[in-house]
mmCIF file of all heavy atoms in Angstrom:
data_model
loop_
_atom_site.group_PDB
_atom_site.id
_atom_site.type_symbol
_atom_site.label_atom_id
_atom_site.label_comp_id
_atom_site.label_asym_id
_atom_site.label_seq_id
_atom_site.Cartn_x
_atom_site.Cartn_y
_atom_site.Cartn_z
ATOM 1 N N GLU A 1477 -5.531 60.354 15.815
ATOM 2 C CA GLU A 1477 -5.803 61.622 15.305
ATOM 3 C C GLU A 1477 -7.073 61.512 14.383
ATOM 4 O O GLU A 1477 -7.176 60.548 13.703
ATOM 5 C CB GLU A 1477 -4.610 62.301 14.579
ATOM 6 C CG GLU A 1477 -3.414 62.485 15.443
ATOM 7 C CD GLU A 1477 -3.635 63.576 16.469
ATOM 8 O OE1 GLU A 1477 -4.584 64.399 16.332
ATOM 9 O OE2 GLU A 1477 -2.865 63.616 17.451
ATOM 10 N N PRO A 1478 -7.903 62.537 14.400
ATOM 11 C CA PRO A 1478 -9.116 62.514 13.567
ATOM 12 C C PRO A 1478 -8.621 62.382 12.008
ATOM 13 O O PRO A 1478 -7.614 63.007 11.667
ATOM 14 C CB PRO A 1478 -9.781 63.879 13.747
ATOM 15 C CG PRO A 1478 -9.286 64.288 15.055
ATOM 16 C CD PRO A 1478 -7.950 63.791 15.289
ATOM 17 N N GLY A 1479 -9.327 61.580 11.279
ATOM 18 C CA GLY A 1479 -8.921 61.430 9.896
ATOM 19 C C GLY A 1479 -7.960 60.289 9.649
ATOM 20 O O GLY A 1479 -7.739 59.961 8.430
ATOM 21 N N ASP A 1480 -7.366 59.770 10.677
ATOM 22 C CA ASP A 1480 -6.396 58.688 10.504
ATOM 23 C C ASP A 1480 -7.163 57.415 10.025
ATOM 24 O O ASP A 1480 -8.155 57.007 10.573
ATOM 25 C CB ASP A 1480 -5.801 58.353 11.915
ATOM 26 C CG ASP A 1480 -4.660 57.352 11.840
ATOM 27 O OD1 ASP A 1480 -4.493 56.647 10.782
ATOM 28 O OD2 ASP A 1480 -3.801 57.258 12.744
ATOM 29 N N ALA A 1481 -6.666 56.773 8.970
ATOM 30 C CA ALA A 1481 -7.280 55.624 8.408
ATOM 31 C C ALA A 1481 -7.301 54.392 9.357
ATOM 32 O O ALA A 1481 -8.129 53.534 9.220
ATOM 33 C CB ALA A 1481 -6.581 55.259 7.049
ATOM 34 N N LEU A 1482 -6.367 54.410 10.311
ATOM 35 C CA LEU A 1482 -6.265 53.366 11.276
ATOM 36 C C LEU A 1482 -6.770 53.719 12.636
ATOM 37 O O LEU A 1482 -6.417 53.167 13.651
ATOM 38 C CB LEU A 1482 -4.812 52.945 11.443
ATOM 39 C CG LEU A 1482 -4.120 52.359 10.170
ATOM 40 C CD1 LEU A 1482 -2.685 52.033 10.433
ATOM 41 C CD2 LEU A 1482 -4.883 51.068 9.751
ATOM 42 N N LEU A 1483 -7.624 54.849 12.692
ATOM 43 C CA LEU A 1483 -8.087 55.358 13.932
ATOM 44 C C LEU A 1483 -8.916 54.277 14.777
ATOM 45 O O LEU A 1483 -8.647 54.038 15.895
ATOM 46 C CB LEU A 1483 -9.018 56.544 13.776
ATOM 47 C CG LEU A 1483 -9.616 57.193 15.047
ATOM 48 C CD1 LEU A 1483 -8.560 57.676 15.985
ATOM 49 C CD2 LEU A 1483 -10.582 58.317 14.654
ATOM 50 N N VAL A 1484 -9.842 53.596 14.099
ATOM 51 C CA VAL A 1484 -10.602 52.594 14.830
ATOM 52 C C VAL A 1484 -9.728 51.496 15.319
ATOM 53 O O VAL A 1484 -9.853 51.093 16.503
ATOM 54 C CB VAL A 1484 -11.769 52.116 13.976
ATOM 55 C CG1 VAL A 1484 -12.467 50.993 14.608
ATOM 56 C CG2 VAL A 1484 -12.771 53.264 13.636
ATOM 57 N N PRO A 1485 -8.912 50.818 14.525
ATOM 58 C CA PRO A 1485 -8.009 49.734 15.071
ATOM 59 C C PRO A 1485 -7.163 50.267 16.170
ATOM 60 O O PRO A 1485 -6.984 49.528 17.190
ATOM 61 C CB PRO A 1485 -7.183 49.354 13.909
ATOM 62 C CG PRO A 1485 -7.953 49.680 12.680
ATOM 63 C CD PRO A 1485 -8.742 50.927 13.073
ATOM 64 N N LYS A 1486 -6.697 51.504 16.081
ATOM 65 C CA LYS A 1486 -5.826 51.978 17.201
ATOM 66 C C LYS A 1486 -6.637 52.168 18.486
ATOM 67 O O LYS A 1486 -6.228 51.898 19.568
ATOM 68 C CB LYS A 1486 -5.312 53.317 16.807
ATOM 69 C CG LYS A 1486 -4.147 53.231 15.785
ATOM 70 C CD LYS A 1486 -3.606 54.647 15.400
ATOM 71 C CE LYS A 1486 -2.432 54.529 14.383
ATOM 72 N NZ LYS A 1486 -1.990 55.897 14.039
ATOM 73 N N LEU A 1487 -7.878 52.705 18.351
ATOM 74 C CA LEU A 1487 -8.779 52.804 19.502
ATOM 75 C C LEU A 1487 -9.163 51.503 20.119
ATOM 76 O O LEU A 1487 -9.249 51.353 21.281
ATOM 77 C CB LEU A 1487 -10.011 53.605 19.082
ATOM 78 C CG LEU A 1487 -9.799 55.099 18.681
ATOM 79 C CD1 LEU A 1487 -11.131 55.662 18.206
ATOM 80 C CD2 LEU A 1487 -9.308 55.925 19.967
ATOM 81 N N LEU A 1488 -9.316 50.511 19.243
ATOM 82 C CA LEU A 1488 -9.618 49.168 19.744
ATOM 83 C C LEU A 1488 -8.446 48.600 20.532
ATOM 84 O O LEU A 1488 -8.638 48.052 21.606
ATOM 85 C CB LEU A 1488 -9.971 48.171 18.559
ATOM 86 C CG LEU A 1488 -11.305 48.432 17.872
ATOM 87 C CD1 LEU A 1488 -11.345 47.609 16.590
ATOM 88 C CD2 LEU A 1488 -12.404 48.025 18.864
ATOM 89 N N LEU A 1489 -7.289 48.817 20.055
ATOM 90 C CA LEU A 1489 -6.065 48.344 20.745
ATOM 91 C C LEU A 1489 -5.924 49.063 22.045
ATOM 92 O O LEU A 1489 -5.623 48.484 23.068
ATOM 93 C CB LEU A 1489 -4.922 48.566 19.846
ATOM 94 C CG LEU A 1489 -3.478 48.129 20.408
ATOM 95 C CD1 LEU A 1489 -3.513 46.694 20.840
ATOM 96 C CD2 LEU A 1489 -2.381 48.469 19.505
ATOM 97 N N ALA A 1490 -6.035 50.427 22.073
ATOM 98 C CA ALA A 1490 -5.903 51.152 23.296
ATOM 99 C C ALA A 1490 -6.980 50.850 24.264
ATOM 100 O O ALA A 1490 -6.686 50.588 25.468
ATOM 101 C CB ALA A 1490 -5.992 52.644 22.963
ATOM 102 N N GLY A 1491 -8.242 50.678 23.849
ATOM 103 C CA GLY A 1491 -9.299 50.281 24.743
ATOM 104 C C GLY A 1491 -9.149 48.948 25.338
ATOM 105 O O GLY A 1491 -9.305 48.710 26.529
ATOM 106 N N GLY A 1492 -8.723 47.940 24.495
ATOM 107 C CA GLY A 1492 -8.687 46.525 24.979
ATOM 108 C C GLY A 1492 -7.434 46.485 25.932
ATOM 109 O O GLY A 1492 -7.614 45.778 26.999
ATOM 110 N N THR A 1493 -6.399 47.108 25.634
ATOM 111 C CA THR A 1493 -5.244 47.064 26.533
ATOM 112 C C THR A 1493 -5.557 47.767 27.899
ATOM 113 O O THR A 1493 -5.265 47.210 28.890
ATOM 114 C CB THR A 1493 -4.071 47.805 25.908
ATOM 115 O OG1 THR A 1493 -3.693 47.149 24.616
ATOM 116 C CG2 THR A 1493 -2.790 47.753 26.752
ATOM 117 N N SER A 1494 -6.296 48.793 27.815
ATOM 118 C CA SER A 1494 -6.669 49.518 29.023
ATOM 119 C C SER A 1494 -7.548 48.695 29.835
ATOM 120 O O SER A 1494 -7.462 48.672 31.078
ATOM 121 C CB SER A 1494 -7.342 50.791 28.680
ATOM 122 O OG SER A 1494 -6.520 51.690 27.957
ATOM 123 N N GLY A 1495 -8.525 47.986 29.212
ATOM 124 C CA GLY A 1495 -9.321 47.098 29.935
ATOM 125 C C GLY A 1495 -8.655 45.981 30.639
ATOM 126 O O GLY A 1495 -8.903 45.694 31.860
ATOM 127 N N ILE A 1496 -7.664 45.379 30.057
ATOM 128 C CA ILE A 1496 -6.851 44.370 30.597
ATOM 129 C C ILE A 1496 -6.045 44.926 31.747
ATOM 130 O O ILE A 1496 -5.977 44.318 32.895
ATOM 131 C CB ILE A 1496 -5.914 43.703 29.555
ATOM 132 C CG1 ILE A 1496 -6.715 42.865 28.600
ATOM 133 C CG2 ILE A 1496 -4.808 42.885 30.288
ATOM 134 C CD1 ILE A 1496 -5.921 42.206 27.568
#
Side-chain angles (χ1 to χ4, degrees):
E1477 298 292 341
D1480 187 345
L1482 297 176
L1483 178 61
V1484 172
K1486 288 179 178 179
L1487 291 173
L1488 287 170
L1489 178 60
T1493 302
S1494 301
I1496 287 176

